[in-house]
Amino acid sequence: MTSIGPGVREIRIRDEQGIFRVVYVAKFDPVIFVLHRFQKKTQQTSKSDIELATRRYEELLRERIHE
């Protein structure tokens, strides 16, 4: 999901309850950061879900710089 940031990936899960997404980044060894998880209800990912994941990614980058 390069629209959120470099290295951001998505896991897609489908079961009898619906379609789910987990947005994460794993480029900061040895940790995987989950930025957002949500249930998809339409074909397109909502703007608010993308904005939330983007905001969390940017916060993560700021934290990593100050470590």
Side-chain angles (χ1 to χ4, degrees), residues 5-56:
V8 176
R9 302 284 187 250
E10 175 183 56
I11 296 174
R12 301 171 183 181
I13 302 164
R14 178 179 296 201
D15 69 11
E16 63 279 347
Q17 295 177 349
I19 301 170
F20 301 86
R21 298 286 193 266
V22 177
V23 179
Y24 69 96
V25 62
K27 70 179 193 174
F28 304 111
D29 269 345
V31 180
I32 297 172
F33 293 94
V34 175
L35 302 173
H36 189 38
R37 50 89 186 117
F38 55 96
Q39 183 174 9
K40 291 265 303 205
K41 297 188 179 190
T42 64
Q43 191 69 14
Q44 188 173 2
T45 303
S46 77
K47 183 178 177 183
S48 62
D49 287 318
I50 292 173
E51 287 173 348
L52 179 59
T54 301
R55 200 166 48 249
R56 289 178 175 169

